[in-house]
Amino acid sequence: MTDHEHSNLHPDDPDTTGHSWDGIQEFNNPLPRWWLWCFYATIVWGIVYTVMYPAWPMISGATPGVLGYSTRAEVAEEIDRFEALNADLRTQITEVELASVNREDTPELYNYSIQAGASTFATWCSQCHGRGAAGVQASGYPNLLDDDWLWGGTVEEIHDTIAHGIRNEDDPDARWSEMTAFDDILTDEEIAQVVNYVLDISDQEADATLASAGETVFLDNCAACHGDEGMGDRVLGAPNLTDRIWLYGGTPEAIEETVRHSRFGVMPSWSGRLSEADIRATAIYVHGLGGGE
Amino acid sequence: MASTDAAPKLYAAQEPVFPKRVSGRYRNLKWIIMIISLGIYYITPWIRWDRGPNLPDQAVLVDLGGRRFFFFWIEIWPHEFYFVAGLLIMAGLGLFLFTSALGRVWCGYSCPQTVWTDLFFMVERWIEGDRNARLRLWKQKWDFRKWRLRVTKWIVWLLIAIATGGAWVFYFADAPTLLVDLVTGQAAFVAYATVAILTATTFIFGGFAREQVCIYMCPWPRIQAAMMDEHTITVAYRDWRGEPRGKGKKRRASAEAAIASSRLAGPTIIGQEPGSTSRAVPEDQPLGDCIDCMACVNVCPVGIDIRDGQQMECITCALCIDACDEIMGKVGMERGLIDYVALTDEKNERAGNKKVPIWRHILRPRTLIYTALWATIGVALIVALFIRSELDITIAAVRNPQFVTLSDGSVRNTYDVRIRNMTAEDSTFRISLTSEEALRVGLEGTPTLMVDVPADETQLQRVYVTAAPDSPAAEGDRTDLRIWVEQVGETLRAHQDTTFIGRGGS
């Protein structure tokens, strides 16, 4: 083997590495030594890093590293940091008059409430009311965007509803009312009459004869809660029957179903699960979705 | 057939380079470019520019926190990032243009690595002396004098490096405030970290790594090599004129006189005599113009011999041209033995043809196309700059749900309107709509149709559009509408088309 020598090469060419394959030789253009040091430095860095930080996968988990660093702890720290930054606002929001929070006068508090309320809503409320707060039309999950409210649409009233819920046993302050199921009380004819009466007062197509007969049935049985004009009563959570919004559907079949068997929509009380600040922020958020009064 | 059994060395220590001081036209050009570029770099953040009370008064400011870029009278918002993209494309095309016309002229004159290394060489020469003194110092033992010179040099380098790293952060915050903060220890950690990192890189790259950065770290030389062609003007040695090199019998006296009278000539390697690289030339053979004085090698900042032909180490700083011109002047020969020449010149000059004028090398389809592309983008950016409005809106229809039925039977759609007030004044904007159908517009949170947007800020406003009960829009499928945003009392206005969805659509 002929090492490190030139054959038929230019005299200025560098030495070869001595490797020769089928007469093909390799020039030796040495890399700078600092380059080699950098390479060794990366190896040292790698070793130090795996000692300091979580690195080697083991059967259950990974080596923790002597610095005790973990991404999870870092996230927790970040969350704490932002909580601390928001602490003032969260205290403020529990102390102010809810109705006084608005974009012009209290922009910082308002923005915080909208952001915090939106994320609370997405986490806890959207399961029933939908991500866009449109509820599930005609299935008993109310649309929070429109201007029709069973229990009131001021920010204070919305706050009470969120805090205590509706028709639940957990919270003594829950909003409560119960419609009678008239299946055993009224005759089929009377039910047909009152259904047509309700269709009539809500501007829908109705049998005029049945409807006019239904007025008496309505006044005797329904007006106590829904009012003589059928405009509902927010104290009792009794819906307005003359408007175009139907929580369980406004078709003759749906109204008949409601009259015969009643409805019993429920909502949990959130005061035990969410902080007062979050509940208040959510009330401001929901109030600002388009239906707030 | 020399043969050794020892394994070849795959790594070699860096050969230190001790470039000699040189003067001449290209050296002067380099000084001017260095003064201008360093001047721009250090002074720019301190220029003030009055933009009124609501905006910063720093002429050039990259406000990362506020997501704004200020450049004199121009303010760039994040959604106008295409200006930055356009400038980067122009920078790329500009590099193509200059490289295809003039070779690695960027490397030789304006690359920060070159400029700062040049500055560090200047300091080194000032403290330790010129090439020969530095060579001696390098070889000698570490006595008190050597320590004193080295430490002095390092301290000056370090001060320059700190000033370099320090100047960088001033582009990202109000410079006078930040300077006070930096000095009093009030500045953010990221500011100190940035200064520390850039100080370290400047100190190491400018003081020690030097040509190693260009040869081993930087990718540009490889890309630039691919962009040069036979018309590209670059630094080269006219070997057809210079070879065979040597002093010869006839001109020995004048050559040695020239070498003796010039600081530039001298041994390339310590201990070697001038002219030792001369190949054996028979005394009676006519010689080329090169007297083998080594001046071109002595001044080279990357430590190569340009007479070996074009090499990847060469940054085309043109200092060897200055050095050779000086010697040629002393010997009484024409300048330009080492010169800016194109590859095609060799054939031409060997054949004794007339010189091709430089503009014929530079003006060719390739450079003209690069220039045209570069200028097109530049003009487009300028036009975009002047026609852009200071009001920008985006309208996003809220489609969850598509529409809301209100208690009276009217149908409502919701739109999120984002208003960007890019003026320096707090402004009020009126929102209105136009449509073929009757639609009513309202705003969340206010009974008016006015939205206040502070200067240089964005406001998100929820807008409600309502169709009356049983109206065509309420009962129909889709209705086109146009939402207008107009500045009250001023001329700014913007609009965007969107769609109203009625009950018929579901």
Side-chain angles (χ1 to χ4, degrees):
Chain A
M1 197 171 153
T2 56
D3 282 345
H4 319 313
E5 66 184 42
H6 305 309
S7 47
N8 304 324
L9 295 174
H10 192 276
D12 287 346
D13 282 339
D15 284 344
T16 70
T17 56
H19 304 149
S20 175
W21 296 274
D22 297 339
I24 299 172
Q25 298 180 53
E26 187 183 12
F27 279 143
N28 179 24
N29 282 306
L31 273 172
R33 204 170 50 198
W34 60 260
W35 192 95
L36 185 68
W37 292 340
C38 290
F39 176 61
Y40 290 150
T42 60
I43 294 172
V44 172
W45 169 271
I47 292 167
V48 171
Y49 185 91
T50 54
V51 172
M52 305 294 255
Y53 287 91
W56 299 106
M58 310 300 266
I59 289 165
S60 56
T63 54
V66 296
L67 289 184
Y69 172 86
S70 86
T71 45
R72 194 174 285 254
E74 194 177 48
V75 170
E77 220 168 82
E78 291 251 301
I79 292 173
D80 287 348
R81 194 157 60 82
F82 285 111
E83 293 275 329
L85 283 176
N86 286 329
D88 269 358
L89 287 168
R90 293 177 68 83
T91 316
Q92 261 185 55
I93 200 171
T94 55
E95 287 165 356
V96 295
E97 189 94 1
L98 268 180
S100 70
V101 179
N102 63 56
R103 196 166 66 197
E104 270 70 41
D105 306 325
T106 52
E108 211 188 353
L109 201 54
Y110 178 80
N111 281 332
Y112 174 76
S113 305
I114 296 293
Q115 304 292 336
S119 89
T120 306
F121 186 91
T123 311
W124 301 104
C125 314
S126 61
Q127 288 83 349
C128 291
H129 290 286
R131 189 69 182 79
V136 184
Q137 299 276 15
S139 300
Y141 300 109
N143 184 336
L144 305 176
L145 306 171
D146 62 31
D147 56 348
D148 188 31
W149 297 91
L150 289 172
W151 301 94
T154 66
V155 67
E156 293 289 356
E157 288 166 327
I158 294 172
H159 170 259
D160 282 354
T161 306
I162 298 171
H164 304 297
I166 298 165
R167 298 185 190 93
N168 64 65
E169 307 280 352
D170 311 326
D171 193 325
D173 293 327
R175 299 191 183 277
W176 195 281
S177 69
E178 206 169 337
M179 180 174 160
T180 315
F182 288 96
D183 201 24
D184 299 331
I185 298 170
L186 297 179
T187 64
D188 286 354
E189 193 192 358
E190 285 170 322
I191 289 174
Q193 287 167 349
V194 81
V195 165
N196 274 280
Y197 176 73
V198 169
L199 286 169
D200 187 47
I201 61 173
S202 62
D203 265 351
Q204 302 192 71
E205 223 173 275
D207 184 313
T209 340
L210 287 174
S212 66
E215 184 170 4
T216 325
V217 185
F218 185 87
L219 288 172
D220 289 349
N221 297 284
C222 316
C225 295
H226 290 285
D228 289 352
E229 309 287 330
M231 301 287 274
D233 184 345
R234 285 182 176 181
V235 176
L236 300 168
N240 183 341
L241 303 176
T242 64
D243 65 19
R244 302 278 283 266
I245 293 170
W246 295 92
L247 185 52
Y248 293 92
T251 62
E253 295 76 25
I255 296 173
E256 185 179 334
E257 169 69 21
T258 305
V259 173
R260 281 188 191 279
H261 302 297
S262 167
R263 306 281 185 179
F264 195 79
V266 295
M267 171 170 163
S269 156
W270 293 101
S271 49
R273 293 203 233 178
L274 299 177
S275 68
E276 176 62 10
D278 281 337
I279 291 175
R280 284 173 157 248
T282 311
I284 292 169
Y285 169 74
V286 170
H287 185 260
L289 288 174
E293 292 172 347
Chain B
M1 293 293 251
S3 176
T4 66
D5 290 331
K9 283 205 160 60
L10 298 178
Y11 299 93
Q14 177 197 358
E15 302 248 354
V17 183
F18 304 96
K20 217 166 190 152
R21 188 159 61 84
V22 64
S23 53
R25 59 168 107 167
Y26 295 110
R27 179 66 264 182
N28 289 341
L29 181 59
K30 278 168 73 76
W31 286 133
I32 292 167
I33 291 175
M34 182 201 277
I35 290 165
I36 292 173
S37 53
L38 288 180
I40 290 173
Y41 177 71
Y42 286 115
I43 293 168
T44 305
W46 298 92
I47 304 171
R48 301 291 101 183
W49 191 268
D50 183 26
R51 295 189 183 86
N54 299 315
L55 295 174
D57 66 346
Q58 186 157 321
V60 177
L61 177 65
V62 182
D63 182 0
L64 291 177
R67 292 173 179 76
R68 299 283 182 277
F69 171 51
F70 298 96
F71 184 84
F72 294 93
W73 65 95
I74 302 169
E75 181 187 348
I76 303 285
W77 283 49
H79 70 279
E80 296 171 309
F81 196 77
Y82 53 83
F83 281 110
V84 179
L87 288 175
L88 288 174
I89 293 170
M90 283 179 75
L93 283 172
L95 191 71
F96 295 175
L97 170 63
F98 275 93
T99 305
S100 68
L102 299 168
R104 288 175 62 182
V105 69
W106 162 260
C107 301
Y109 292 87
S110 43
C111 175
Q113 174 65 23
T114 296
V115 171
W116 262 276
T117 303
D118 225 14
L119 187 64
F120 277 39
F121 273 138
M122 198 179 82
V123 171
E124 190 171 271
R125 248 180 237 124
W126 173 52
I127 291 168
E128 296 181 346
D130 207 357
R131 176 178 162 84
N132 295 339
R134 268 146 53 216
L135 268 167
R136 273 196 302 278
L137 189 68
W138 179 62
K139 279 204 312 183
Q140 80 170 70
K141 280 209 199 78
W142 283 87
D143 60 3
F144 173 74
R145 183 176 159 275
K146 184 167 180 175
W147 274 112
R148 179 173 58 81
L149 292 175
R150 280 285 143 93
V151 169
T152 315
K153 178 179 80 174
W154 291 337
I155 287 172
V156 177
W157 280 356
L158 200 58
L159 291 176
I160 296 174
I162 291 169
T164 305
W168 179 261
V169 295
F170 293 142
Y171 284 86
F172 297 87
D174 184 57
T177 317
L178 182 58
L179 180 63
V180 173
D181 288 352
L182 280 171
V183 173
T184 56
Q186 306 284 308
F189 170 74
V190 64
Y192 289 111
T194 307
V195 173
I197 289 169
L198 290 178
T199 301
T201 51
T202 309
F203 186 69
I204 293 167
F205 289 174
F208 304 96
R210 293 182 169 173
E211 80 286 349
Q212 305 280 305
V213 173
C214 310
I215 299 170
Y216 296 103
M217 296 185 194
C218 181
W220 278 112
R222 315 290 166 269
I223 297 167
Q224 287 176 320
M227 287 187 292
M228 290 168 69
D229 59 28
E230 69 276 16
H231 285 291
T232 302
I233 295 169
T234 188
V235 175
Y237 167 63
R238 289 195 158 95
D239 66 347
W240 56 93
R241 179 183 145 193
E243 297 298 321
R245 66 187 74 155
K247 290 167 194 70
K249 224 180 210 167
K250 254 190 269 173
R251 70 176 186 208
R252 181 169 295 273
S254 69
E256 278 173 357
I259 290 171
S261 73
S262 174
R263 293 175 303 99
L264 293 169
T268 177
I269 299 161
I270 309 155
Q272 263 184 324
E273 285 309 307
S276 61
T277 63
S278 299
R279 287 158 202 149
V281 181
E283 289 286 321
D284 54 341
Q285 195 183 324
L287 287 171
D289 283 358
C290 177
I291 61 167
D292 206 14
C293 65
M294 307 303 285
C296 56
V297 178
N298 290 341
V299 299
C300 181
V302 297
I304 58 165
D305 187 343
I306 190 69
R307 296 172 301 175
D308 293 343
Q310 276 187 26
Q311 290 145 81
M312 74 164 190
E313 291 89 346
C314 179
I315 58 170
T316 72
C317 66
L319 294 181
C320 50
I321 301 181
D322 281 344
C324 189
D325 283 355
E326 185 188 318
I327 298 290
M328 286 293 111
K330 285 190 195 299
V331 193
M333 283 189 277
E334 192 196 345
R335 71 156 292 278
L337 179 56
I338 301 171
D339 205 357
Y340 273 108
V341 290
L343 204 58
T344 50
D345 287 336
E346 174 173 358
K347 221 191 316 172
N348 230 335
E349 291 183 17
R350 271 189 203 281
N353 292 340
K354 246 177 50 185
K355 262 191 181 166
V356 179
I358 282 196
W359 66 266
R360 295 266 314 264
H361 284 306
I362 290 177
L363 294 184
R364 58 200 146 94
R366 182 170 178 176
T367 55
L368 293 178
I369 289 169
Y370 284 145
T371 310
L373 286 173
W374 184 84
T376 307
I377 295 171
V379 170
L381 287 183
I382 291 169
V383 170
L385 192 63
F386 281 101
I387 63 170
R388 69 179 181 155
S389 168
E390 286 186 305
L391 166 64
D392 186 77
I393 60 165
T394 46
I395 296 177
V398 176
R399 292 303 185 214
N400 176 20
Q402 292 185 317
F403 62 86
V404 176
T405 304
L406 300 182
S407 53
D408 65 352
S410 54
V411 172
R412 191 180 72 196
N413 277 205
T414 306
Y415 303 87
D416 278 337
V417 178
R418 200 175 285 276
I419 304 170
R420 298 184 189 91
N421 175 13
M422 295 188 271
T423 69
E425 315 287 328
D426 296 345
S427 301
T428 304
F429 295 92
R430 180 190 295 109
I431 295 194
S432 59
L433 68 80
T434 50
S435 172
E436 289 180 3
E437 303 293 346
L439 292 171
R440 201 154 38 79
V441 65
L443 305 185
E444 167 60 35
T446 166
T448 69
L449 291 176
M450 305 297 184
V451 186
D452 294 326
V453 188
D456 200 49
E457 280 190 25
T458 298
Q459 181 81 53
L460 180 65
Q461 174 65 50
R462 195 159 258 237
V463 173
Y464 301 118
V465 175
T466 311
D470 306 317
S471 67
E475 300 306 322
D477 178 359
R478 277 151 196 276
T479 306
D480 290 332
L481 73 142
R482 173 171 288 183
I483 293 180
W484 288 89
V485 177
E486 292 162 284
Q487 192 181 18
V488 175
E490 298 284 341
T491 53
L492 288 179
R493 66 203 304 242
H495 65 80
Q496 192 178 317
D497 291 337
T498 181
T499 309
F500 182 91
I501 295 185
R503 256 194 284 265
S506 58

